[in-house]
Amino acid sequence: MKFIIDHLITVAIAVLSGGALLWLSLAPRGRQASPLQATQMINRGKSTAVIDVRTADAFAVGHLRDAKNIPLADLGNRSGELDKSKIKTIIVVDHDGKDADKAARLLKAAGFEDIYGLEGGIAAWTAAGLPLIK
């Protein structure tokens, strides 16, 4: 107990940082689809739309078949371009899976219902040996 009192600031910093890490790991994430699940959704046909939120340069290097490129920075302003896809299942693709949740929240706010983030992003897709369109 004396140690805690003598090192109150150090203990407080350790508790706060541990709490922040715990909160991040337990924070609710949007729905995710593995590369295999995404492939199955895409192969179902016209009921799925793929939205790639990477930059135009990254999109040009390689993207999923029939993907529409709307960079994350522009998604809020350009979500109207996707109005015909509101009844479809949306798969959001980013580089590594970290921006998909933010994009899904923006799409949800725009009225989209059935949204999945590609788990691991395009990096996981290529690691699984799945094809890209260039």
Side-chain angles (χ1 to χ4, degrees):
M1 189 65 159
K2 183 175 178 355
F3 177 82
I4 293 174
I5 293 170
D6 290 344
H7 300 92
L8 188 59
I9 293 176
T10 305
V11 170
I13 290 171
V15 169
L16 287 174
S17 64
L21 288 172
L22 182 62
W23 178 76
L24 285 174
S25 67
L26 297 176
R29 295 185 52 142
R31 293 189 302 179
Q32 299 283 306
S34 70
L36 175 62
Q37 291 168 326
T39 301
Q40 291 169 341
M41 289 180 201
I42 293 167
N43 288 339
R44 278 191 291 194
K46 297 182 180 187
S47 63
T48 304
V50 179
I51 310 302
D52 194 319
V53 296
R54 297 176 299 147
T55 63
D57 291 339
F59 183 81
V61 170
H63 57 274
L64 276 65
R65 180 186 59 158
D66 299 329
K68 179 164 181 68
N69 181 232
I70 301 179
L72 182 59
D74 301 336
L75 188 59
N77 297 329
R78 294 179 55 191
S79 63
E81 295 175 26
L82 305 170
D83 282 344
K84 292 181 181 178
S85 299
K86 281 192 178 182
I87 59 171
K88 295 181 177 183
T89 298
I90 304 291
I91 299 174
V92 178
V93 177
D94 62 357
H95 175 67
D96 56 7
K98 294 180 182 171
D99 290 331
D101 283 340
K102 185 175 182 180
R105 284 192 300 272
L106 288 170
L107 290 170
K108 191 81 157 168
F112 293 83
E113 302 270 336
D114 196 17
I115 308 164
Y116 290 84
L118 179 61
E119 189 177 295
I122 203 80
W125 182 270
T126 55
L130 296 168
L132 293 176
I133 306 298
K134 296 183 182 190

